[in-house]
Short mmCIF file of all heavy atoms in Angstrom, two decimals:
data_model
loop_
_atom_site.label_atom_id
_atom_site.label_comp_id
_atom_site.label_asym_id
_atom_site.label_seq_id
_atom_site.Cartn_x
_atom_site.Cartn_y
_atom_site.Cartn_z
N ALA E 2 108.16 7.48 105.93
CA ALA E 2 108.10 6.67 104.71
C ALA E 2 108.56 5.24 104.98
O ALA E 2 108.02 4.29 104.43
CB ALA E 2 108.94 7.29 103.61
N SER E 3 109.55 5.07 105.88
CA SER E 3 110.09 3.75 106.16
C SER E 3 109.06 2.86 106.88
O SER E 3 109.19 1.65 106.88
CB SER E 3 111.36 3.85 107.01
OG SER E 3 111.02 4.45 108.24
N HIS E 4 108.06 3.47 107.51
CA HIS E 4 107.06 2.69 108.22
C HIS E 4 105.84 2.32 107.38
O HIS E 4 104.98 1.59 107.83
CB HIS E 4 106.58 3.45 109.48
CG HIS E 4 107.54 3.33 110.61
ND1 HIS E 4 107.47 4.15 111.71
CD2 HIS E 4 108.56 2.49 110.82
CE1 HIS E 4 108.45 3.81 112.54
NE2 HIS E 4 109.13 2.80 112.01
N SER E 5 105.77 2.86 106.18
CA SER E 5 104.59 2.55 105.37
C SER E 5 104.68 1.11 104.83
O SER E 5 105.76 0.61 104.55
CB SER E 5 104.45 3.54 104.22
OG SER E 5 105.46 3.30 103.28
N VAL E 6 103.54 0.49 104.70
CA VAL E 6 103.48 -0.90 104.27
C VAL E 6 103.53 -0.95 102.75
O VAL E 6 102.81 -0.20 102.09
CB VAL E 6 102.17 -1.55 104.76
CG1 VAL E 6 102.12 -3.02 104.40
CG2 VAL E 6 101.99 -1.34 106.24
N SER E 7 104.37 -1.82 102.21
CA SER E 7 104.41 -1.92 100.76
C SER E 7 103.11 -2.55 100.27
O SER E 7 102.60 -3.47 100.93
CB SER E 7 105.61 -2.76 100.32
OG SER E 7 105.29 -4.12 100.39
N PRO E 8 102.54 -2.06 99.19
CA PRO E 8 101.22 -2.56 98.73
C PRO E 8 101.20 -4.07 98.53
O PRO E 8 100.23 -4.73 98.89
CB PRO E 8 101.01 -1.82 97.42
CG PRO E 8 101.88 -0.62 97.50
CD PRO E 8 103.07 -1.01 98.33
N SER E 9 102.28 -4.64 98.01
CA SER E 9 102.27 -6.08 97.74
C SER E 9 102.23 -6.89 99.05
O SER E 9 101.55 -7.90 99.16
CB SER E 9 103.48 -6.47 96.90
OG SER E 9 104.66 -6.25 97.63
N ARG E 10 102.92 -6.38 100.06
CA ARG E 10 102.94 -7.06 101.35
C ARG E 10 101.57 -7.00 102.02
O ARG E 10 101.11 -7.96 102.62
CB ARG E 10 103.96 -6.38 102.25
CG ARG E 10 104.96 -7.42 102.74
CD ARG E 10 106.01 -6.80 103.53
NE ARG E 10 106.37 -7.69 104.60
CZ ARG E 10 107.39 -7.49 105.40
NH1 ARG E 10 108.11 -6.40 105.26
NH2 ARG E 10 107.66 -8.35 106.35
N GLN E 11 100.95 -5.84 101.88
CA GLN E 11 99.62 -5.65 102.43
C GLN E 11 98.64 -6.62 101.77
O GLN E 11 97.80 -7.23 102.43
CB GLN E 11 99.17 -4.22 102.15
CG GLN E 11 98.27 -3.66 103.22
CD GLN E 11 98.08 -2.18 103.05
OE1 GLN E 11 98.26 -1.63 101.96
NE2 GLN E 11 97.72 -1.51 104.12
N LEU E 12 98.82 -6.79 100.47
CA LEU E 12 97.93 -7.68 99.71
C LEU E 12 98.11 -9.13 100.16
O LEU E 12 97.14 -9.84 100.38
CB LEU E 12 98.24 -7.53 98.21
CG LEU E 12 97.25 -8.23 97.28
CD1 LEU E 12 95.90 -7.54 97.35
CD2 LEU E 12 97.76 -8.23 95.85
N VAL E 13 99.37 -9.53 100.32
CA VAL E 13 99.67 -10.89 100.78
C VAL E 13 99.00 -11.15 102.12
O VAL E 13 98.36 -12.18 102.34
CB VAL E 13 101.20 -11.12 100.88
CG1 VAL E 13 101.51 -12.40 101.64
CG2 VAL E 13 101.81 -11.17 99.49
N LEU E 14 99.12 -10.19 103.02
CA LEU E 14 98.54 -10.30 104.35
C LEU E 14 97.03 -10.44 104.28
O LEU E 14 96.42 -11.28 104.94
CB LEU E 14 98.92 -9.04 105.14
CG LEU E 14 98.97 -9.21 106.65
CD1 LEU E 14 100.14 -10.08 107.02
CD2 LEU E 14 99.09 -7.85 107.30
N LEU E 15 96.43 -9.63 103.42
CA LEU E 15 94.98 -9.64 103.27
C LEU E 15 94.49 -10.98 102.72
O LEU E 15 93.55 -11.58 103.23
CB LEU E 15 94.56 -8.50 102.34
CG LEU E 15 93.05 -8.21 102.27
CD1 LEU E 15 92.58 -7.64 103.60
CD2 LEU E 15 92.75 -7.25 101.15
N VAL E 16 95.18 -11.46 101.71
CA VAL E 16 94.82 -12.74 101.08
C VAL E 16 94.95 -13.87 102.09
O VAL E 16 94.07 -14.72 102.22
CB VAL E 16 95.69 -13.02 99.83
CG1 VAL E 16 95.52 -14.46 99.35
CG2 VAL E 16 95.34 -12.05 98.71
N LEU E 17 96.03 -13.84 102.87
CA LEU E 17 96.27 -14.84 103.89
C LEU E 17 95.13 -14.84 104.91
O LEU E 17 94.57 -15.88 105.27
CB LEU E 17 97.60 -14.55 104.60
CG LEU E 17 98.07 -15.61 105.57
CD1 LEU E 17 98.56 -16.83 104.80
CD2 LEU E 17 99.20 -15.06 106.45
N MET E 18 94.75 -13.66 105.33
CA MET E 18 93.70 -13.51 106.33
C MET E 18 92.37 -14.05 105.80
O MET E 18 91.68 -14.82 106.48
CB MET E 18 93.56 -12.03 106.67
CG MET E 18 92.86 -11.77 107.95
SD MET E 18 92.86 -10.00 108.26
CE MET E 18 91.25 -9.59 107.65
N ILE E 19 92.03 -13.67 104.58
CA ILE E 19 90.77 -14.12 103.98
C ILE E 19 90.76 -15.63 103.81
O ILE E 19 89.77 -16.30 104.09
CB ILE E 19 90.53 -13.40 102.62
CG1 ILE E 19 90.21 -11.93 102.89
CG2 ILE E 19 89.40 -14.06 101.85
CD1 ILE E 19 90.21 -11.06 101.66
N THR E 20 91.91 -16.18 103.40
CA THR E 20 92.01 -17.63 103.21
C THR E 20 91.76 -18.37 104.51
O THR E 20 90.96 -19.30 104.57
CB THR E 20 93.42 -18.00 102.67
OG1 THR E 20 93.67 -17.21 101.52
CG2 THR E 20 93.49 -19.47 102.30
N ILE E 21 92.41 -17.93 105.58
CA ILE E 21 92.25 -18.59 106.88
C ILE E 21 90.79 -18.50 107.34
O ILE E 21 90.19 -19.48 107.74
CB ILE E 21 93.20 -17.96 107.93
CG1 ILE E 21 94.65 -18.29 107.57
CG2 ILE E 21 92.88 -18.49 109.33
CD1 ILE E 21 95.68 -17.57 108.40
N LEU E 22 90.23 -17.31 107.24
CA LEU E 22 88.85 -17.12 107.70
C LEU E 22 87.86 -17.97 106.90
O LEU E 22 86.97 -18.58 107.48
CB LEU E 22 88.46 -15.65 107.62
CG LEU E 22 89.07 -14.76 108.70
CD1 LEU E 22 88.64 -13.31 108.49
CD2 LEU E 22 88.69 -15.23 110.09
N SER E 23 88.06 -18.04 105.58
CA SER E 23 87.10 -18.82 104.78
C SER E 23 87.27 -20.31 105.00
O SER E 23 86.30 -21.06 104.95
CB SER E 23 87.19 -18.44 103.31
OG SER E 23 88.51 -18.55 102.87
N CYS E 24 88.50 -20.76 105.29
CA CYS E 24 88.71 -22.17 105.64
C CYS E 24 87.95 -22.51 106.91
O CYS E 24 87.27 -23.53 106.99
CB CYS E 24 90.19 -22.47 105.86
SG CYS E 24 91.11 -22.58 104.33
N LEU E 25 88.05 -21.67 107.90
CA LEU E 25 87.38 -21.91 109.18
C LEU E 25 85.87 -21.95 108.97
O LEU E 25 85.17 -22.79 109.52
CB LEU E 25 87.73 -20.80 110.18
CG LEU E 25 89.19 -20.81 110.65
CD1 LEU E 25 89.47 -19.57 111.48
CD2 LEU E 25 89.47 -22.06 111.47
N GLN E 26 85.37 -21.05 108.15
CA GLN E 26 83.95 -20.98 107.85
C GLN E 26 83.49 -22.29 107.21
O GLN E 26 82.47 -22.84 107.54
CB GLN E 26 83.69 -19.81 106.89
CG GLN E 26 82.28 -19.32 106.91
CD GLN E 26 81.91 -18.82 108.30
OE1 GLN E 26 82.68 -18.13 108.95
NE2 GLN E 26 80.74 -19.18 108.78
N TYR E 27 84.33 -22.79 106.31
CA TYR E 27 83.98 -23.99 105.54
C TYR E 27 83.92 -25.22 106.44
O TYR E 27 83.05 -26.05 106.32
CB TYR E 27 85.01 -24.18 104.43
CG TYR E 27 84.71 -25.35 103.54
CD1 TYR E 27 83.69 -25.27 102.60
CD2 TYR E 27 85.45 -26.52 103.63
CE1 TYR E 27 83.41 -26.34 101.79
CE2 TYR E 27 85.17 -27.60 102.83
CZ TYR E 27 84.15 -27.51 101.90
OH TYR E 27 83.87 -28.57 101.10
N VAL E 28 84.86 -25.33 107.37
CA VAL E 28 84.95 -26.50 108.24
C VAL E 28 83.84 -26.49 109.29
O VAL E 28 83.38 -27.53 109.72
CB VAL E 28 86.35 -26.55 108.91
CG1 VAL E 28 86.41 -27.65 109.96
CG2 VAL E 28 87.42 -26.77 107.87
N SER E 29 83.39 -25.32 109.67
CA SER E 29 82.41 -25.18 110.74
C SER E 29 81.15 -26.01 110.48
O SER E 29 80.60 -26.00 109.38
CB SER E 29 82.05 -23.70 110.87
OG SER E 29 80.71 -23.55 111.20
N VAL E 30 80.71 -26.75 111.48
CA VAL E 30 79.52 -27.60 111.35
C VAL E 30 78.36 -26.90 112.06
O VAL E 30 78.43 -26.64 113.25
CB VAL E 30 79.75 -28.98 111.99
CG1 VAL E 30 78.49 -29.82 111.92
CG2 VAL E 30 80.89 -29.69 111.30
N SER E 31 77.31 -26.60 111.33
CA SER E 31 76.23 -25.86 111.96
C SER E 31 75.03 -26.74 112.29
O SER E 31 74.38 -26.54 113.29
CB SER E 31 75.80 -24.69 111.08
OG SER E 31 75.50 -25.17 109.80
N ALA E 32 74.74 -27.75 111.50
CA ALA E 32 73.55 -28.57 111.76
C ALA E 32 73.76 -29.99 111.27
O ALA E 32 74.46 -30.22 110.27
CB ALA E 32 72.34 -27.95 111.08
N PHE E 33 73.13 -30.93 111.97
CA PHE E 33 73.21 -32.34 111.59
C PHE E 33 71.86 -32.80 111.07
O PHE E 33 70.83 -32.33 111.52
CB PHE E 33 73.54 -33.19 112.80
CG PHE E 33 75.00 -33.27 113.14
CD1 PHE E 33 75.90 -32.30 112.73
CD2 PHE E 33 75.47 -34.32 113.91
CE1 PHE E 33 77.24 -32.37 113.06
CE2 PHE E 33 76.81 -34.40 114.25
CZ PHE E 33 77.69 -33.43 113.83
N GLU E 34 71.89 -33.76 110.16
CA GLU E 34 70.66 -34.43 109.78
C GLU E 34 70.77 -35.88 110.22
O GLU E 34 71.72 -36.57 109.85
CB GLU E 34 70.45 -34.37 108.27
CG GLU E 34 69.14 -35.02 107.87
CD GLU E 34 68.92 -35.06 106.38
OE1 GLU E 34 68.88 -33.98 105.75
OE2 GLU E 34 68.78 -36.16 105.84
N PHE E 35 69.83 -36.32 111.04
CA PHE E 35 69.83 -37.69 111.55
C PHE E 35 68.83 -38.52 110.77
O PHE E 35 67.74 -38.04 110.44
CB PHE E 35 69.42 -37.71 113.03
CG PHE E 35 70.39 -37.00 113.93
CD1 PHE E 35 70.23 -35.65 114.21
CD2 PHE E 35 71.46 -37.68 114.50
CE1 PHE E 35 71.12 -35.00 115.04
CE2 PHE E 35 72.35 -37.03 115.33
CZ PHE E 35 72.18 -35.69 115.61
N GLN E 36 69.21 -39.75 110.49
CA GLN E 36 68.26 -40.66 109.85
C GLN E 36 67.63 -41.52 110.95
O GLN E 36 68.35 -42.25 111.65
CB GLN E 36 68.98 -41.52 108.83
CG GLN E 36 68.17 -42.70 108.38
CD GLN E 36 68.00 -42.78 106.87
OE1 GLN E 36 68.25 -41.83 106.14
NE2 GLN E 36 67.54 -43.91 106.41
N VAL E 37 66.33 -41.43 111.13
CA VAL E 37 65.65 -42.14 112.21
C VAL E 37 65.86 -43.64 112.08
O VAL E 37 65.60 -44.22 111.02
CB VAL E 37 64.14 -41.81 112.22
CG1 VAL E 37 63.42 -42.66 113.25
CG2 VAL E 37 63.93 -40.34 112.52
N GLY E 38 66.36 -44.26 113.17
CA GLY E 38 66.58 -45.70 113.17
C GLY E 38 67.77 -46.13 112.34
O GLY E 38 67.92 -47.33 112.06
N ASP E 39 68.60 -45.18 111.93
CA ASP E 39 69.76 -45.46 111.05
C ASP E 39 69.33 -46.31 109.87
O ASP E 39 68.37 -45.96 109.20
CB ASP E 39 70.90 -46.09 111.86
CG ASP E 39 71.43 -45.14 112.95
OD1 ASP E 39 71.48 -43.93 112.67
OD2 ASP E 39 71.74 -45.61 114.04
N SER E 40 70.00 -47.45 109.65
CA SER E 40 69.72 -48.24 108.44
C SER E 40 68.36 -48.96 108.48
O SER E 40 67.85 -49.37 107.45
CB SER E 40 70.84 -49.25 108.21
OG SER E 40 70.96 -50.07 109.35
N HIS E 41 67.78 -49.10 109.69
CA HIS E 41 66.46 -49.76 109.79
C HIS E 41 65.36 -48.93 109.13
O HIS E 41 64.37 -49.45 108.65
CB HIS E 41 66.06 -49.98 111.25
CG HIS E 41 67.01 -50.86 112.01
ND1 HIS E 41 67.08 -52.21 111.81
CD2 HIS E 41 67.91 -50.57 112.98
CE1 HIS E 41 68.00 -52.72 112.62
NE2 HIS E 41 68.53 -51.74 113.33
#
Side-chain angles (χ1 to χ4, degrees):
S3 63
H4 281 165
S5 71
V6 184
S7 83
S9 65
R10 236 176 143 172
Q11 212 169 22
L12 189 68
V13 167
L14 206 69
L15 190 68
V16 168
L17 188 73
M18 198 177 97
I19 290 169
T20 308
I21 293 171
L22 286 178
S23 53
C24 284
L25 291 172
Q26 202 60 43
Y27 182 74
V28 173
S29 145
V30 177
S31 53
F33 277 22
E34 182 183 300
F35 296 91
Q36 166 125 346
V37 174
D39 297 323
S40 57
H41 299 287

